[in-house]
Amino acid sequence: MMRLDRWLVTLGVGSRSQVQKLIRQGAVTVNGLPVTDPSAACDTGAALTLHRQPLDGRLTRHVMLHKPAGLLTAARDKKQPTVMDLLPESYASIGCMPVGRLDKDTTGLLFLTTDGELNHRLLSPTRHVDKTYLAQVDGPLSEKEVAAFAEGLHLSDFDAKPALLEITGPASGRVTVQEGKFHQVKRMFSAVGREVTALHRESFGSLRLDPTLPEGQWRELTDEELRGLYADAQMEAP
Ligand code: URA
């Protein structure tokens, strides 16, 4: 249960005083009935309308986004556009946050959720969640690089754990890593003398980027996809 005014503020409808005014004016219905008391306790599964239009009151969201290049992975930034600009404003208001980061120029799968515990556990190094990337590089790849990745690479400030590199073309490879350090994949290639010219994430744990989802678009996860991620996090699905 939640106070009606607080619920509407959380949904990003307006400030506390703005939503209290709307409620007192009779602009809000809950389960079809006008409620004019801002402090009324509501079940947040109830149906809401605002000015006779349905208002989605859900406080839980789990989103798959096909990140385009050029956006920061951040909740907000003073100067630059972020992935949150692609979602309805209410998603940020209810705390739907990216799980991990992709660099500004990286494309592909980004998972965002309102479940802070799920977010935290999927990123925890103890959970060993696989992330798969397709990388274009500036020179040929051979068994030498595959072996170096398999052995684990010494980077300036940490040792990257063994990773799987599969050669997919003359200058491209699929990399599976379990860690998620800053610029991890680019730095691993750099350690074997290759520069990454394009990077695209295909999967995160059991979640795969929906091939029908165009760049810049997003959708809610299916129940099955969500169950998979909760299993990856060793949590019980809600
Ligand atoms: N590794 C990188 O170097 N960049 C990313 O965006 C993700 C993984």
Side-chain angles (χ1 to χ4, degrees), residues 101-106 133 177 181-187 199 201:
R101 273 167 197 268
L102 293 178
D103 295 337
K104 190 173 171 187
D105 57 355
T106 300
Y133 297 87
V177 289
K181 298 255 172 41
F182 186 59
H183 292 333
Q184 171 120 12
V185 174
K186 289 176 185 168
R187 293 173 62 197
L199 193 61
R201 184 154 69 188

Side-chain angles (χ1 to χ4, degrees), residues 1-2 7-8 24-25 44 47 57 65 73 92 98 103 113 127 138 144 165 169 171 212 230 234:
M1 302 291 272
M2 193 185 257
W7 189 11
L8 295 181
R24 290 206 182 91
Q25 285 169 346
T44 54
L65 170 73
T73 307
D103 295 337
T113 180
R127 225 61 65 178
D138 66 347
K144 192 169 130 235
L165 169 61
T212 67
Y230 274 96
Q234 292 165 303

Side-chain angles (χ1 to χ4, degrees), residues 110-131:
L110 190 64
F111 169 57
L112 302 96
T113 180
T114 47
D115 187 334
E117 173 75 7
L118 177 65
N119 189 328
H120 179 75
R121 289 175 73 126
L122 285 172
L123 295 180
S124 159
T126 58
R127 225 61 65 178
H128 305 301
V129 172
D130 281 348
K131 294 122 199 145

